[in-house]
Amino acid sequence: MPSPAALTYGPIFLGVVFNILLYGIMITQTFLYFTVYKKDRLWMKLFVGLLFICDTVNCAFDITFLYIPLVNNFGNPSSLMYASWVFATDPVMTALIGSLTQCFFAWRVNVLTHSIPAVIFISFCALCQFCGGLGTSIAVGMIPEFIHFQKFEVIVIVWLAFSAVADCAITIALVWHLRKHKTGFAATDDIVNRIIRLTVQTGLITALCAVVDLVLFLATPSGLHLVFNLPLSKLYTNSLMSSLNSRAGWRYGTGNGETTTDDMTRNDRSKHLNVRGETGRRVSMMTPNQVYIDVESHEMVDVIDTKTLHSEALDGTSSKPYSEKDGRLSTVVTADSL
């Protein structure tokens, strides 16, 4: 018969490991955001900072919960059967982070589509899943035995089901709007397709993780669902940060003065050296995949016979050669006439 540690704390340990790994990615994404997008709106920076703080607190609570029974209560099997108050904070923290992320995407849906029904539906699902997460935390405090967690399965269903529905609604709304506004130009449509793929991927990951978590919770009384439940908050924050940081790869300006790849490409092209040789031919220091066309202009100039000019000067006469500069005949005055 497997030990209680293997049944419950094995999945918890794996979930905490995945949680910390995703937290490391979140640190990198947050650093990149504040480094690259310095001109973003203040409320957006504060929002990213709030999510980072929530992720940090959630990580600290998960590590503390794992430390207490495995280290402080080492050798006490009964401590492995109960969830402490620290563990009870995980559902509400996950629901809070998820609802904040979904509300941000609801704002984005409003900006892009101006669809009030879609925004109301997404916000309603986000609110319901937050209430479900809060109710789950309260239920864990009231029923701390792991084997009795299925007694409050209704509130868990509300939490995870509404979370998945909100993610799917966000994905459908954004993809529908983007596909409807394709321009027919290959370059622009390629950008739109990349945004669609990113939207589908980020929304699908969080929705799929919530659904698998719910199915495993209902199917088995063991803690196997915790492998997917504990990293869920980091999946939400990383999906949001991935969406924000990927703007640098889209080839149009964000309107906030951020540096994009096109800006860097234009700067690199402006730094190409142009060398003009003695023959008037320009040599460009350029990359192999760039083609430069150099057009040279030549001016036809009539050359006067020096012998004729010398003889006319000795005779005291003047010549009237044609001048292309002003389009009329001009008189050349000799030295004797001065």
Side-chain angles (χ1 to χ4, degrees), residues 174-195:
L174 292 177
V175 170
W176 175 78
H177 176 77
L178 291 172
R179 288 184 64 87
K180 194 175 73 170
H181 286 79
K182 284 190 174 183
T183 61
F185 294 99
T188 305
D189 288 347
D190 179 66
I191 297 171
V192 173
N193 289 331
R194 284 190 292 165
I195 299 174

Side-chain angles (χ1 to χ4, degrees), residues 122-136:
I122 295 171
S123 302
F124 174 76
C125 292
L127 179 61
C128 289
Q129 74 104 355
F130 172 73
C131 294
L134 178 61
T136 302

Side-chain angles (χ1 to χ4, degrees), residues 5 8-9 12 61-84 86-87 146:
T8 305
Y9 279 86
I12 289 176
F61 281 169
D62 287 348
I63 294 173
T64 303
F65 164 72
L66 197 62
Y67 184 87
I68 291 174
L70 299 183
V71 178
N72 290 352
N73 295 325
F74 179 77
N76 184 11
S78 61
S79 64
L80 302 176
M81 309 299 296
Y82 297 90
S84 64
V86 183
F87 179 81
F146 287 110

Side-chain angles (χ1 to χ4, degrees), residues 34-272:
F34 284 106
T35 302
V36 177
Y37 300 98
K38 297 180 180 179
K39 295 184 179 180
D40 266 1
R41 299 174 184 176
L42 178 61
W43 72 265
M44 192 175 295
K45 294 181 180 179
L46 294 176
F47 181 76
V48 171
L50 175 63
L51 288 179
F52 181 76
I53 292 174
C54 291
D55 263 358
T56 304
V57 173
N58 177 252
C59 244
F61 281 169
D62 287 348
I63 294 173
T64 303
F65 164 72
L66 197 62
Y67 184 87
I68 291 174
L70 299 183
V71 178
N72 290 352
N73 295 325
F74 179 77
N76 184 11
S78 61
S79 64
L80 302 176
M81 309 299 296
Y82 297 90
S84 64
W85 69 268
V86 183
F87 179 81
T89 62
D90 184 77
V92 67
M93 290 295 299
T94 302
L96 175 63
I97 294 172
S99 61
L100 288 175
T101 303
Q102 289 163 353
C103 288
F104 177 84
F105 282 114
W107 168 80
R108 177 172 287 183
V109 169
N110 180 47
V111 171
L112 290 177
T113 67
H114 302 287
S115 176
I116 302 301
V119 175
I120 293 176
F121 179 76
I122 295 171
S123 302
F124 174 76
C125 292
L127 179 61
C128 289
Q129 74 104 355
F130 172 73
C131 294
L134 178 61
T136 302
S137 293
I138 296 173
V140 170
M142 297 174 62
I143 308 175
E145 296 88 353
F146 287 110
I147 59 175
H148 295 156
F149 273 7
Q150 289 186 335
K151 290 183 178 180
F152 49 84
E153 63 181 13
V154 175
I155 193 67
V156 176
I157 293 174
V158 171
W159 168 29
L160 297 176
F162 275 102
S163 178
V165 170
D167 296 335
C168 293
I170 292 169
T171 303
I172 293 173
L174 292 177
V175 170
W176 175 78
H177 176 77
L178 291 172
R179 288 184 64 87
K180 194 175 73 170
H181 286 79
K182 284 190 174 183
T183 61
F185 294 99
T188 305
D189 288 347
D190 179 66
I191 297 171
V192 173
N193 289 331
R194 284 190 292 165
I195 299 174
I196 290 174
R197 285 195 299 268
L198 178 65
T199 303
V200 172
Q201 290 169 1
T202 54
L204 181 63
I205 290 174
T206 52
L208 183 61
C209 186
V211 170
V212 172
D213 182 18
L214 179 60
V215 170
L216 291 177
F217 176 78
L218 297 177
T220 173
S222 65
L224 188 60
H225 67 281
L226 296 172
V227 176
F228 299 91
N229 182 270
L230 294 176
L232 185 57
S233 62
K234 303 302 181 295
L235 291 177
Y236 275 113
T237 52
N238 276 287
S239 66
L240 173 64
M241 296 307 301
S242 175
S243 176
L244 291 176
N245 289 333
S246 63
R247 291 176 295 170
W250 299 341
R251 301 193 175 180
Y252 55 85
T254 58
N256 295 323
E258 298 91 346
T259 302
T260 62
T261 52
D262 273 3
D263 298 329
M264 292 186 290
T265 303
R266 283 192 293 268
N267 291 335
D268 291 339
R269 289 179 180 177
S270 65
K271 293 179 181 178
H272 289 159

